[in-house]
Amino acid sequence: MGKIIAALVILTFVLIIIGIPIYISLMFTGMLSLVALSMSTGTPVATLVIPQSIFNGIGSLPLLAIPFFMLAGEIMNRGKITEKLINFAMLLIGRLPASLGLSGIVASMFFGGITGSAQASTSCMGGILIPAMTDAGYPVKEAVGIIAGASTCGPIIPPSIIMVVFATAVGASVGAMFMGGLIPGIMIGLILCIVVLLRDRKYHFPRRTEKLEKGEVKKTIIDGIIPLGMPVIIVGGIMGGICTPTEAGAVAVAYSLLASLFISRTLKVKDIWTILLSTVNSAAPLLLIIACAKVFSYGLTALQMPVIVNNAILSLTHNKYVFLLLVNILLLIMGMFMDGGASVIILAPILTPVAVQLGISTIHFGVVMALNLTIGNITPPLGYCSFIGSRIGGISVEDGFKGIMPYLVAEIIGLLLITYIPFFVTYVPTILGYSVA
């Protein structure tokens, strides 16, 4: 049976690597696993499992948070919040060395707290900041590295789409996952800021010298507070037990509409239909992958894959620290070749039970997994953010990756700190009364 499972898993990755859509690859190998189960047990193929698994895959209430957060982020993005966040971040940074680079990191953290998407952060922030940083005297490779590196903070700081996927895949609390990502997301941002300051010693990045007038300061603060009200509502609502993450997503949509239509007036009613279509086009592929992955997961579970993997890992080591190191290596490699959401759907149900058996908190393991796969956004060959940043900067992906390297190394150091010091993840959920087991 182990050979059959290995063949199915290898086949899945081969299909994905050669360009077959992920959802088709998962559905196909999931169906093959049901055929293998039928042949091994001498029973009819469980065809009814396919529609039931698909329905169960997308019928979960917590998953509704994904399109809500995507819609809220799209509304805010169309409402032209990017420049406001950048100006607000620059006001906070002031005239520190490498002020524009530091502002890019802070603004990306803010933006990620609204959209939860690394690619959106690189695209929106990079479209403004990479040309601005280059014009100010930053080497273009350095500008691409700063913005692409900073984009990985977004999917860790709540709200986080990849954490919703993990929580749904293993039955964990979405709220606990969100709160678990709060300190790590901020910590990664601070580590990147330190790298920028260290790099400033070599490149002597330009620093801001002009001083804003009082009127400009007031306008910048007001313009910045409006979009930042959304993550405050989301995090505050969940932390205060006022609403669930899904309900917080719905509130975020309502807030973003009110802010964009009536407060900042940067959005018109006629734009809403286009925004809805764009959100559907973004959310549907992920939800389709989740639905098809349930068929894949059911078949491999019925073939006892979790038990086989569990026994195989435990035969190698019973040390949780060695296990976490092996998982980090595996996930960093996975992130280089596969979308993070798909990787979570495939691996989370398999690896999480092993982690729990070794005494690792589910929430801690989930945040480690999310951060690993988010870093995949800046690692070749898949690295979406490195592609986007390099294209904006007008340089080759190879040159863009050279600029990203110092920030990638810093993020891996941050990953190791979060991996081996669970306190960074579990502290906030614990004091708020969430179970982190």
Side-chain angles (χ1 to χ4, degrees):
M1 192 62 71
K3 292 181 180 179
I4 294 174
I5 292 173
L8 289 170
V9 172
I10 292 170
L11 176 62
T12 303
F13 287 112
V14 168
L15 292 174
I16 292 171
I17 290 170
I18 65 175
I20 304 297
I22 295 174
Y23 72 93
I24 294 177
S25 303
L26 292 173
M27 175 65 78
F28 179 68
T29 50
M31 293 172 66
L32 286 182
S33 68
L34 294 176
V35 172
L37 178 66
S38 172
M39 294 175 63
S40 64
T41 59
T43 57
V45 178
T47 52
L48 284 178
V49 166
I50 297 173
Q52 288 173 350
S53 296
I54 290 173
F55 177 78
N56 292 335
I58 56 176
S60 172
L61 185 61
L63 280 179
L64 193 57
I66 293 176
F68 275 145
F69 288 131
M70 284 186 169
L71 177 56
E74 186 68 21
I75 292 169
M76 281 293 196
N77 188 26
R78 295 292 183 93
K80 300 178 180 178
I81 64 162
T82 308
E83 289 186 31
K84 297 175 181 178
L85 290 176
I86 291 171
N87 291 334
F88 186 70
M90 290 181 68
L91 178 65
L92 293 178
I93 295 299
R95 288 176 283 181
L96 288 173
S99 51
L100 197 53
L102 295 176
S103 298
I105 294 173
V106 174
S108 294
M109 292 168 69
F110 288 154
F111 192 83
I114 293 172
T115 65
S117 167
Q119 294 96 308
S121 180
T122 303
S123 180
C124 296
M125 291 293 158
I128 296 174
L129 282 172
I130 291 176
M133 292 167 74
T134 304
D135 291 342
Y138 284 73
V140 63
K141 289 190 293 187
E142 203 69 26
V144 170
I146 291 171
I147 299 304
S151 67
T152 58
C153 299
I156 305 302
I157 297 173
S160 168
I161 292 170
I162 195 170
M163 288 187 185
V164 175
V165 177
F166 176 88
T168 305
V170 303
S173 164
V174 177
M177 285 296 301
F178 278 6
M179 295 304 103
L182 199 56
I183 292 178
I186 295 171
M187 190 168 77
I188 294 295
L190 292 175
I191 290 173
L192 294 177
C193 287
I194 292 171
V195 175
V196 170
L197 292 173
L198 291 175
R199 301 284 286 176
D200 178 64
R201 292 189 170 192
K202 175 181 179 181
Y203 289 102
H204 303 291
F205 299 134
R207 63 193 298 173
R208 183 178 176 181
T209 56
E210 69 275 12
K211 190 174 182 180
L212 293 178
E213 299 293 333
K214 287 185 179 180
E216 291 181 290
V217 171
K218 182 178 178 182
K219 185 178 186 303
T220 301
I221 291 174
I222 293 173
D223 287 346
I225 286 176
I226 291 172
L228 289 176
M230 194 170 85
V232 170
I233 288 173
I234 293 170
V235 176
I238 296 171
M239 288 178 67
I242 299 171
C243 54
T244 65
T246 303
E247 292 165 347
V251 172
V253 171
Y255 177 85
S256 59
L257 279 173
L258 289 172
S260 300
L261 287 172
F262 303 112
I263 300 176
S264 63
R265 297 183 180 179
T266 51
L267 198 67
K268 296 180 180 179
V269 174
K270 66 179 182 181
D271 298 326
I272 294 177
W273 178 246
T274 305
I275 291 171
L276 288 171
L277 288 178
S278 177
T279 304
V280 169
N281 288 333
S282 299
L286 178 57
L287 294 174
L288 184 59
I289 290 171
I290 293 172
C292 294
K294 280 293 182 180
V295 181
F296 176 84
S297 177
Y298 179 92
L300 293 185
T301 301
L303 289 172
Q304 301 300 306
M305 180 179 180
V307 176
I308 293 172
V309 171
N310 181 64
N311 292 337
I313 292 174
L314 293 179
S315 68
L316 292 174
T317 180
H318 281 79
N319 187 309
K320 66 179 181 180
Y321 301 109
V322 174
F323 168 75
L324 285 169
L325 179 62
L326 295 174
V327 166
N328 276 333
I329 294 170
L330 170 65
L331 294 178
L332 286 171
I333 294 172
M334 285 284 291
M336 295 171 66
F337 297 98
M338 186 179 290
D339 176 76
S343 300
V344 167
I345 295 163
I346 295 171
L347 295 176
I350 298 170
L351 296 177
T352 305
V354 184
V356 172
Q357 188 170 341
L358 291 174
I360 301 167
S361 157
T362 301
I363 303 304
H364 176 222
F365 187 73
V367 173
V368 169
M369 177 173 269
L371 180 54
N372 263 293
L373 296 172
T374 299
I375 290 174
N377 283 292
I378 59 172
T379 53
L382 185 63
Y384 298 118
C385 294
S386 58
F387 279 101
I388 296 170
S390 300
R391 188 173 66 245
I392 293 171
I395 59 176
S396 67
V397 177
E398 291 79 8
D399 285 340
F401 184 66
K402 289 177 184 176
I404 290 171
M405 270 301 295
Y407 304 94
L408 173 60
V409 171
E411 290 185 6
I412 292 176
I413 292 172
L415 170 65
L416 292 175
L417 288 173
I418 291 162
T419 299
Y420 291 111
I421 308 177
F423 171 84
F424 291 131
V425 175
T426 58
Y427 176 68
V428 175
T430 301
I431 63 171
L432 291 176
Y434 287 104
S435 171
V436 294

